[in-house]
PDB file of all heavy atoms in Angstrom:
ATOM      1  N   ASP Q 433      -4.883  21.939   0.057  1.00  0.00           N
ATOM      2  CA  ASP Q 433      -4.532  23.104   0.879  1.00  0.00           C
ATOM      3  C   ASP Q 433      -4.210  24.345   0.042  1.00  0.00           C
ATOM      4  O   ASP Q 433      -3.519  25.269   0.512  1.00  0.00           O
ATOM      5  CB  ASP Q 433      -3.342  22.770   1.784  1.00  0.00           C
ATOM      6  CG  ASP Q 433      -2.120  22.323   0.983  1.00  0.00           C
ATOM      7  OD1 ASP Q 433      -2.268  22.065  -0.222  1.00  0.00           O
ATOM      8  OD2 ASP Q 433      -1.024  22.239   1.587  1.00  0.00           O
ATOM      9  N   ALA Q 434      -4.695  24.367  -1.197  1.00  0.00           N
ATOM     10  CA  ALA Q 434      -4.421  25.515  -2.076  1.00  0.00           C
ATOM     11  C   ALA Q 434      -5.051  26.787  -1.503  1.00  0.00           C
ATOM     12  O   ALA Q 434      -6.180  26.778  -1.012  1.00  0.00           O
ATOM     13  CB  ALA Q 434      -4.966  25.246  -3.466  1.00  0.00           C
ATOM     14  N   THR Q 435      -4.309  27.881  -1.561  1.00  0.00           N
ATOM     15  CA  THR Q 435      -4.840  29.173  -1.095  1.00  0.00           C
ATOM     16  C   THR Q 435      -5.746  29.762  -2.175  1.00  0.00           C
ATOM     17  O   THR Q 435      -5.715  29.343  -3.335  1.00  0.00           O
ATOM     18  CB  THR Q 435      -3.698  30.146  -0.803  1.00  0.00           C
ATOM     19  OG1 THR Q 435      -2.988  30.410  -2.028  1.00  0.00           O
ATOM     20  CG2 THR Q 435      -2.737  29.570   0.238  1.00  0.00           C
ATOM     21  N   MET Q 436      -6.518  30.762  -1.790  1.00  0.00           N
ATOM     22  CA  MET Q 436      -7.416  31.398  -2.744  1.00  0.00           C
ATOM     23  C   MET Q 436      -6.628  32.086  -3.848  1.00  0.00           C
ATOM     24  O   MET Q 436      -7.053  32.121  -5.005  1.00  0.00           O
ATOM     25  CB  MET Q 436      -8.319  32.393  -2.012  1.00  0.00           C
ATOM     26  CG  MET Q 436      -9.605  32.710  -2.750  1.00  0.00           C
ATOM     27  SD  MET Q 436     -10.621  31.225  -2.953  1.00  0.00           S
ATOM     28  CE  MET Q 436     -11.410  31.591  -4.522  1.00  0.00           C
ATOM     29  N   GLU Q 437      -5.456  32.626  -3.492  1.00  0.00           N
ATOM     30  CA  GLU Q 437      -4.605  33.290  -4.491  1.00  0.00           C
ATOM     31  C   GLU Q 437      -4.125  32.280  -5.537  1.00  0.00           C
ATOM     32  O   GLU Q 437      -4.107  32.579  -6.739  1.00  0.00           O
ATOM     33  CB  GLU Q 437      -3.398  33.950  -3.807  1.00  0.00           C
ATOM     34  CG  GLU Q 437      -3.717  35.185  -2.982  1.00  0.00           C
ATOM     35  CD  GLU Q 437      -4.397  34.856  -1.653  1.00  0.00           C
ATOM     36  OE1 GLU Q 437      -4.317  33.675  -1.223  1.00  0.00           O
ATOM     37  OE2 GLU Q 437      -5.025  35.766  -1.065  1.00  0.00           O
ATOM     38  N   GLU Q 438      -3.765  31.081  -5.083  1.00  0.00           N
ATOM     39  CA  GLU Q 438      -3.316  30.043  -6.014  1.00  0.00           C
ATOM     40  C   GLU Q 438      -4.451  29.598  -6.932  1.00  0.00           C
ATOM     41  O   GLU Q 438      -4.240  29.361  -8.134  1.00  0.00           O
ATOM     42  CB  GLU Q 438      -2.787  28.827  -5.243  1.00  0.00           C
ATOM     43  CG  GLU Q 438      -1.456  29.068  -4.541  1.00  0.00           C
ATOM     44  CD  GLU Q 438      -1.013  27.867  -3.717  1.00  0.00           C
ATOM     45  OE1 GLU Q 438      -1.866  27.279  -3.029  1.00  0.00           O
ATOM     46  OE2 GLU Q 438       0.180  27.538  -3.756  1.00  0.00           O
ATOM     47  N   ILE Q 439      -5.661  29.497  -6.378  1.00  0.00           N
ATOM     48  CA  ILE Q 439      -6.824  29.092  -7.172  1.00  0.00           C
ATOM     49  C   ILE Q 439      -7.138  30.144  -8.227  1.00  0.00           C
ATOM     50  O   ILE Q 439      -7.382  29.819  -9.403  1.00  0.00           O
ATOM     51  CB  ILE Q 439      -8.041  28.855  -6.252  1.00  0.00           C
ATOM     52  CG1 ILE Q 439      -7.811  27.607  -5.371  1.00  0.00           C
ATOM     53  CG2 ILE Q 439      -9.317  28.676  -7.074  1.00  0.00           C
ATOM     54  CD1 ILE Q 439      -8.866  27.394  -4.320  1.00  0.00           C
ATOM     55  N   ILE Q 440      -7.119  31.412  -7.831  1.00  0.00           N
ATOM     56  CA  ILE Q 440      -7.405  32.509  -8.777  1.00  0.00           C
ATOM     57  C   ILE Q 440      -6.358  32.542  -9.889  1.00  0.00           C
ATOM     58  O   ILE Q 440      -6.683  32.682 -11.072  1.00  0.00           O
ATOM     59  CB  ILE Q 440      -7.459  33.856  -8.028  1.00  0.00           C
ATOM     60  CG1 ILE Q 440      -8.709  33.905  -7.127  1.00  0.00           C
ATOM     61  CG2 ILE Q 440      -7.471  35.024  -9.006  1.00  0.00           C
ATOM     62  CD1 ILE Q 440      -8.751  35.080  -6.187  1.00  0.00           C
ATOM     63  N   HIS Q 441      -5.087  32.381  -9.494  1.00  0.00           N
ATOM     64  CA  HIS Q 441      -4.006  32.380 -10.494  1.00  0.00           C
ATOM     65  C   HIS Q 441      -4.174  31.233 -11.489  1.00  0.00           C
ATOM     66  O   HIS Q 441      -4.021  31.437 -12.703  1.00  0.00           O
ATOM     67  CB  HIS Q 441      -2.648  32.278  -9.778  1.00  0.00           C
ATOM     68  CG  HIS Q 441      -1.491  32.198 -10.732  1.00  0.00           C
ATOM     69  ND1 HIS Q 441      -1.070  33.278 -11.498  1.00  0.00           N
ATOM     70  CD2 HIS Q 441      -0.666  31.154 -11.072  1.00  0.00           C
ATOM     71  CE1 HIS Q 441      -0.052  32.906 -12.253  1.00  0.00           C
ATOM     72  NE2 HIS Q 441       0.215  31.625 -12.010  1.00  0.00           N
ATOM     73  N   ALA Q 442      -4.519  30.044 -10.997  1.00  0.00           N
ATOM     74  CA  ALA Q 442      -4.694  28.880 -11.877  1.00  0.00           C
ATOM     75  C   ALA Q 442      -5.842  29.110 -12.847  1.00  0.00           C
ATOM     76  O   ALA Q 442      -5.742  28.741 -14.031  1.00  0.00           O
ATOM     77  CB  ALA Q 442      -4.934  27.625 -11.038  1.00  0.00           C
ATOM     78  N   THR Q 443      -6.933  29.704 -12.376  1.00  0.00           N
ATOM     79  CA  THR Q 443      -8.087  29.937 -13.259  1.00  0.00           C
ATOM     80  C   THR Q 443      -7.778  31.012 -14.305  1.00  0.00           C
ATOM     81  O   THR Q 443      -8.283  30.943 -15.427  1.00  0.00           O
ATOM     82  CB  THR Q 443      -9.327  30.344 -12.449  1.00  0.00           C
ATOM     83  OG1 THR Q 443      -9.022  31.480 -11.628  1.00  0.00           O
ATOM     84  CG2 THR Q 443      -9.800  29.212 -11.556  1.00  0.00           C
ATOM     85  N   LYS Q 444      -6.940  31.983 -13.944  1.00  0.00           N
ATOM     86  CA  LYS Q 444      -6.563  33.012 -14.922  1.00  0.00           C
ATOM     87  C   LYS Q 444      -5.705  32.413 -16.025  1.00  0.00           C
ATOM     88  O   LYS Q 444      -5.902  32.711 -17.210  1.00  0.00           O
ATOM     89  CB  LYS Q 444      -5.815  34.150 -14.224  1.00  0.00           C
ATOM     90  CG  LYS Q 444      -6.724  35.071 -13.415  1.00  0.00           C
ATOM     91  CD  LYS Q 444      -5.942  36.204 -12.765  1.00  0.00           C
ATOM     92  CE  LYS Q 444      -6.891  37.153 -12.024  1.00  0.00           C
ATOM     93  NZ  LYS Q 444      -6.146  38.249 -11.343  1.00  0.00           N
ATOM     94  N   VAL Q 445      -4.767  31.550 -15.654  1.00  0.00           N
ATOM     95  CA  VAL Q 445      -3.927  30.890 -16.663  1.00  0.00           C
ATOM     96  C   VAL Q 445      -4.776  29.994 -17.551  1.00  0.00           C
ATOM     97  O   VAL Q 445      -4.589  29.952 -18.771  1.00  0.00           O
ATOM     98  CB  VAL Q 445      -2.813  30.062 -15.979  1.00  0.00           C
ATOM     99  CG1 VAL Q 445      -2.040  29.248 -17.014  1.00  0.00           C
ATOM    100  CG2 VAL Q 445      -1.868  30.963 -15.206  1.00  0.00           C
ATOM    101  N   ALA Q 446      -5.749  29.290 -16.943  1.00  0.00           N
ATOM    102  CA  ALA Q 446      -6.613  28.364 -17.683  1.00  0.00           C
ATOM    103  C   ALA Q 446      -7.739  29.067 -18.427  1.00  0.00           C
ATOM    104  O   ALA Q 446      -8.599  28.410 -19.020  1.00  0.00           O
ATOM    105  CB  ALA Q 446      -7.206  27.333 -16.726  1.00  0.00           C
ATOM    106  N   GLN Q 447      -7.757  30.392 -18.389  1.00  0.00           N
ATOM    107  CA  GLN Q 447      -8.783  31.191 -19.072  1.00  0.00           C
ATOM    108  C   GLN Q 447     -10.192  30.888 -18.554  1.00  0.00           C
ATOM    109  O   GLN Q 447     -11.173  30.941 -19.310  1.00  0.00           O
ATOM    110  CB  GLN Q 447      -8.721  30.951 -20.593  1.00  0.00           C
ATOM    111  CG  GLN Q 447      -7.366  31.208 -21.215  1.00  0.00           C
ATOM    112  CD  GLN Q 447      -6.866  32.622 -20.975  1.00  0.00           C
ATOM    113  OE1 GLN Q 447      -7.499  33.605 -21.368  1.00  0.00           O
ATOM    114  NE2 GLN Q 447      -5.731  32.745 -20.275  1.00  0.00           N
ATOM    115  N   ALA Q 448     -10.268  30.573 -17.243  1.00  0.00           N
ATOM    116  CA  ALA Q 448     -11.569  30.278 -16.638  1.00  0.00           C
ATOM    117  C   ALA Q 448     -12.044  31.393 -15.718  1.00  0.00           C
ATOM    118  O   ALA Q 448     -13.202  31.407 -15.312  1.00  0.00           O
ATOM    119  CB  ALA Q 448     -11.486  28.958 -15.856  1.00  0.00           C
ATOM    120  N   TYR Q 449     -11.157  32.308 -15.400  1.00  0.00           N
ATOM    121  CA  TYR Q 449     -11.467  33.330 -14.382  1.00  0.00           C
ATOM    122  C   TYR Q 449     -12.639  34.200 -14.804  1.00  0.00           C
ATOM    123  O   TYR Q 449     -13.531  34.493 -13.984  1.00  0.00           O
ATOM    124  CB  TYR Q 449     -10.225  34.185 -14.124  1.00  0.00           C
ATOM    125  CG  TYR Q 449     -10.424  35.233 -13.054  1.00  0.00           C
ATOM    126  CD1 TYR Q 449     -10.424  34.893 -11.698  1.00  0.00           C
ATOM    127  CD2 TYR Q 449     -10.602  36.576 -13.392  1.00  0.00           C
ATOM    128  CE1 TYR Q 449     -10.616  35.858 -10.717  1.00  0.00           C
ATOM    129  CE2 TYR Q 449     -10.784  37.543 -12.431  1.00  0.00           C
ATOM    130  CZ  TYR Q 449     -10.793  37.182 -11.087  1.00  0.00           C
ATOM    131  OH  TYR Q 449     -10.977  38.148 -10.123  1.00  0.00           O
ATOM    132  N   ASP Q 450     -12.654  34.625 -16.064  1.00  0.00           N
ATOM    133  CA  ASP Q 450     -13.688  35.564 -16.520  1.00  0.00           C
ATOM    134  C   ASP Q 450     -15.089  34.979 -16.405  1.00  0.00           C
ATOM    135  O   ASP Q 450     -16.010  35.631 -15.901  1.00  0.00           O
ATOM    136  CB  ASP Q 450     -13.412  35.991 -17.967  1.00  0.00           C
ATOM    137  CG  ASP Q 450     -12.172  36.880 -18.070  1.00  0.00           C
ATOM    138  OD1 ASP Q 450     -11.774  37.438 -17.025  1.00  0.00           O
ATOM    139  OD2 ASP Q 450     -11.610  36.990 -19.172  1.00  0.00           O
ATOM    140  N   PHE Q 451     -15.285  33.751 -16.893  1.00  0.00           N
ATOM    141  CA  PHE Q 451     -16.641  33.183 -16.840  1.00  0.00           C
ATOM    142  C   PHE Q 451     -17.038  32.820 -15.392  1.00  0.00           C
ATOM    143  O   PHE Q 451     -18.224  32.830 -15.059  1.00  0.00           O
ATOM    144  CB  PHE Q 451     -16.795  31.993 -17.788  1.00  0.00           C
ATOM    145  CG  PHE Q 451     -16.310  30.668 -17.281  1.00  0.00           C
ATOM    146  CD1 PHE Q 451     -17.056  29.921 -16.370  1.00  0.00           C
ATOM    147  CD2 PHE Q 451     -15.104  30.133 -17.719  1.00  0.00           C
ATOM    148  CE1 PHE Q 451     -16.628  28.679 -15.913  1.00  0.00           C
ATOM    149  CE2 PHE Q 451     -14.675  28.899 -17.265  1.00  0.00           C
ATOM    150  CZ  PHE Q 451     -15.432  28.179 -16.355  1.00  0.00           C
ATOM    151  N   ILE Q 452     -16.055  32.537 -14.541  1.00  0.00           N
ATOM    152  CA  ILE Q 452     -16.373  32.273 -13.128  1.00  0.00           C
ATOM    153  C   ILE Q 452     -16.889  33.545 -12.467  1.00  0.00           C
ATOM    154  O   ILE Q 452     -17.879  33.513 -11.716  1.00  0.00           O
ATOM    155  CB  ILE Q 452     -15.134  31.733 -12.374  1.00  0.00           C
ATOM    156  CG1 ILE Q 452     -14.767  30.337 -12.876  1.00  0.00           C
ATOM    157  CG2 ILE Q 452     -15.393  31.677 -10.863  1.00  0.00           C
ATOM    158  CD1 ILE Q 452     -13.460  29.801 -12.334  1.00  0.00           C
TER     159      ILE Q 452
END
Side-chain angles (χ1 to χ4, degrees):
D433 58 348
T435 63
M436 202 62 212
E437 289 75 18
E438 289 176 317
I439 292 173
I440 291 171
H441 177 71
T443 55
K444 285 181 177 178
V445 173
Q447 305 302 300
Y449 182 77
D450 291 341
F451 82 77
I452 292 172

